PDB file of all heavy atoms in Angstrom:
ATOM      1  N   LEU A  10      -1.102  -3.158  19.134  1.00 81.00           N
ATOM      2  CA  LEU A  10      -0.677  -1.789  19.356  1.00 81.00           C
ATOM      3  C   LEU A  10       0.812  -1.690  19.663  1.00 81.00           C
ATOM      4  O   LEU A  10       1.380  -0.627  19.560  1.00 81.00           O
ATOM      5  CB  LEU A  10      -1.480  -1.157  20.495  1.00 81.00           C
ATOM      6  CG  LEU A  10      -2.987  -1.029  20.285  1.00 81.00           C
ATOM      7  CD1 LEU A  10      -3.665  -0.534  21.549  1.00 81.00           C
ATOM      8  CD2 LEU A  10      -3.286  -0.110  19.120  1.00 81.00           C
ATOM      9  N   VAL A  12       2.132  -1.849  22.629  1.00 92.00           N
ATOM     10  CA  VAL A  12       2.296  -1.462  24.027  1.00 92.00           C
ATOM     11  C   VAL A  12       1.106  -2.001  24.809  1.00 92.00           C
ATOM     12  O   VAL A  12       0.034  -2.179  24.267  1.00 92.00           O
ATOM     13  CB  VAL A  12       2.404   0.073  24.235  1.00 92.00           C
ATOM     14  CG1 VAL A  12       3.742   0.594  23.819  1.00 92.00           C
ATOM     15  CG2 VAL A  12       1.303   0.799  23.513  1.00 92.00           C
ATOM     16  N   ALA A  13       1.319  -2.228  26.088  1.00 90.00           N
ATOM     17  CA  ALA A  13       0.254  -2.816  26.909  1.00 90.00           C
ATOM     18  C   ALA A  13      -0.180  -1.866  28.011  1.00 90.00           C
ATOM     19  O   ALA A  13       0.553  -0.947  28.377  1.00 90.00           O
ATOM     20  CB  ALA A  13       0.758  -4.116  27.528  1.00 90.00           C
ATOM     21  N   LYS A  14      -1.384  -2.098  28.507  1.00 90.00           N
ATOM     22  CA  LYS A  14      -1.862  -1.353  29.668  1.00 90.00           C
ATOM     23  C   LYS A  14      -0.951  -1.670  30.838  1.00 90.00           C
ATOM     24  O   LYS A  14      -0.482  -2.795  30.924  1.00 90.00           O
ATOM     25  CB  LYS A  14      -3.295  -1.746  30.022  1.00 90.00           C
ATOM     26  CG  LYS A  14      -4.296  -1.477  28.964  1.00 90.00           C
ATOM     27  CD  LYS A  14      -5.694  -1.874  29.387  1.00 90.00           C
ATOM     28  CE  LYS A  14      -5.815  -3.338  29.661  1.00 90.00           C
ATOM     29  NZ  LYS A  14      -7.117  -3.804  30.070  1.00 90.00           N
ATOM     30  N   PRO A  15      -0.683  -0.784  31.705  1.00 90.00           N
ATOM     31  CA  PRO A  15      -1.200   0.571  31.861  1.00 90.00           C
ATOM     32  C   PRO A  15      -0.333   1.665  31.226  1.00 90.00           C
ATOM     33  O   PRO A  15      -0.439   2.825  31.602  1.00 90.00           O
ATOM     34  CB  PRO A  15      -1.244   0.741  33.375  1.00 90.00           C
ATOM     35  CG  PRO A  15      -0.061  -0.005  33.866  1.00 90.00           C
ATOM     36  CD  PRO A  15       0.055  -1.181  32.921  1.00 90.00           C
ATOM     37  N   GLN A  16       0.497   1.305  30.264  1.00 91.00           N
ATOM     38  CA  GLN A  16       1.319   2.318  29.614  1.00 91.00           C
ATOM     39  C   GLN A  16       0.427   3.335  28.916  1.00 91.00           C
ATOM     40  O   GLN A  16      -0.478   2.965  28.162  1.00 91.00           O
ATOM     41  CB  GLN A  16       2.277   1.686  28.619  1.00 91.00           C
ATOM     42  CG  GLN A  16       3.298   0.773  29.262  1.00 91.00           C
ATOM     43  CD  GLN A  16       4.180   0.099  28.237  1.00 91.00           C
ATOM     44  OE1 GLN A  16       4.386   0.617  27.151  1.00 91.00           O
ATOM     45  NE2 GLN A  16       4.689  -1.073  28.576  1.00 91.00           N
ATOM     46  N   PRO A  17       0.668   4.635  29.159  1.00 90.00           N
ATOM     47  CA  PRO A  17      -0.194   5.675  28.580  1.00 90.00           C
ATOM     48  C   PRO A  17      -0.365   5.558  27.062  1.00 90.00           C
ATOM     49  O   PRO A  17      -1.451   5.781  26.538  1.00 90.00           O
ATOM     50  CB  PRO A  17       0.523   6.972  28.955  1.00 90.00           C
ATOM     51  CG  PRO A  17       1.301   6.632  30.175  1.00 90.00           C
ATOM     52  CD  PRO A  17       1.729   5.207  30.002  1.00 90.00           C
ATOM     53  N   GLN A  18       0.684   5.171  26.378  1.00 93.00           N
ATOM     54  CA  GLN A  18       0.610   5.075  24.918  1.00 93.00           C
ATOM     55  C   GLN A  18      -0.436   4.059  24.461  1.00 93.00           C
ATOM     56  O   GLN A  18      -1.035   4.213  23.411  1.00 93.00           O
ATOM     57  CB  GLN A  18       2.000   4.722  24.365  1.00 93.00           C
ATOM     58  CG  GLN A  18       2.143   4.893  22.890  1.00 93.00           C
ATOM     59  CD  GLN A  18       2.067   6.341  22.435  1.00 93.00           C
ATOM     60  OE1 GLN A  18       2.017   7.268  23.218  1.00 93.00           O
ATOM     61  NE2 GLN A  18       2.031   6.525  21.137  1.00 93.00           N
ATOM     62  N   SER A  19      -0.703   3.026  25.262  1.00 94.00           N
ATOM     63  CA  SER A  19      -1.693   2.031  24.863  1.00 94.00           C
ATOM     64  C   SER A  19      -3.085   2.633  24.738  1.00 94.00           C
ATOM     65  O   SER A  19      -3.833   2.311  23.821  1.00 94.00           O
ATOM     66  CB  SER A  19      -1.699   0.848  25.835  1.00 94.00           C
ATOM     67  OG  SER A  19      -2.155   1.232  27.116  1.00 94.00           O
ATOM     68  N   TYR A  20      -3.434   3.520  25.642  1.00 94.00           N
ATOM     69  CA  TYR A  20      -4.756   4.169  25.598  1.00 94.00           C
ATOM     70  C   TYR A  20      -4.834   5.170  24.454  1.00 94.00           C
ATOM     71  O   TYR A  20      -5.850   5.267  23.763  1.00 94.00           O
ATOM     72  CB  TYR A  20      -5.050   4.868  26.933  1.00 94.00           C
ATOM     73  CG  TYR A  20      -4.975   3.932  28.105  1.00 94.00           C
ATOM     74  CD1 TYR A  20      -3.801   3.809  28.839  1.00 94.00           C
ATOM     75  CD2 TYR A  20      -6.065   3.150  28.460  1.00 94.00           C
ATOM     76  CE1 TYR A  20      -3.721   2.938  29.913  1.00 94.00           C
ATOM     77  CE2 TYR A  20      -5.987   2.270  29.536  1.00 94.00           C
ATOM     78  CZ  TYR A  20      -4.814   2.165  30.255  1.00 94.00           C
ATOM     79  OH  TYR A  20      -4.735   1.304  31.304  1.00 94.00           O
ATOM     80  N   LEU A  21      -3.748   5.904  24.264  1.00 95.00           N
ATOM     81  CA  LEU A  21      -3.719   6.888  23.184  1.00 95.00           C
ATOM     82  C   LEU A  21      -3.819   6.207  21.827  1.00 95.00           C
ATOM     83  O   LEU A  21      -4.586   6.642  20.963  1.00 95.00           O
ATOM     84  CB  LEU A  21      -2.444   7.736  23.278  1.00 95.00           C
ATOM     85  CG  LEU A  21      -2.306   8.571  24.549  1.00 95.00           C
ATOM     86  CD1 LEU A  21      -0.893   9.149  24.669  1.00 95.00           C
ATOM     87  CD2 LEU A  21      -3.339   9.681  24.577  1.00 95.00           C
ATOM     88  N   LEU A  22      -3.072   5.142  21.636  1.00 95.00           N
ATOM     89  CA  LEU A  22      -3.128   4.417  20.364  1.00 95.00           C
ATOM     90  C   LEU A  22      -4.489   3.769  20.135  1.00 95.00           C
ATOM     91  O   LEU A  22      -4.984   3.740  19.008  1.00 95.00           O
ATOM     92  CB  LEU A  22      -2.023   3.362  20.313  1.00 95.00           C
ATOM     93  CG  LEU A  22      -0.603   3.900  20.182  1.00 95.00           C
ATOM     94  CD1 LEU A  22       0.419   2.775  20.354  1.00 95.00           C
ATOM     95  CD2 LEU A  22      -0.417   4.600  18.841  1.00 95.00           C
ATOM     96  N   ALA A  23      -5.106   3.261  21.186  1.00 94.00           N
ATOM     97  CA  ALA A  23      -6.437   2.655  21.042  1.00 94.00           C
ATOM     98  C   ALA A  23      -7.459   3.690  20.605  1.00 94.00           C
ATOM     99  O   ALA A  23      -8.280   3.431  19.721  1.00 94.00           O
ATOM    100  CB  ALA A  23      -6.861   2.003  22.350  1.00 94.00           C
ATOM    101  N   SER A  24      -7.416   4.877  21.206  1.00 95.00           N
ATOM    102  CA  SER A  24      -8.388   5.909  20.816  1.00 95.00           C
ATOM    103  C   SER A  24      -8.144   6.366  19.383  1.00 95.00           C
ATOM    104  O   SER A  24      -9.083   6.614  18.631  1.00 95.00           O
ATOM    105  CB  SER A  24      -8.352   7.091  21.784  1.00 95.00           C
ATOM    106  OG  SER A  24      -7.181   7.862  21.623  1.00 95.00           O
TER     107      SER A  24
END
Side-chain angles (χ1 to χ4, degrees):
L10 298 174
V12 285
K14 299 181 298 180
Q16 296 177 27
Q18 193 67 6
S19 67
Y20 303 94
L21 298 169
L22 290 171
S24 72

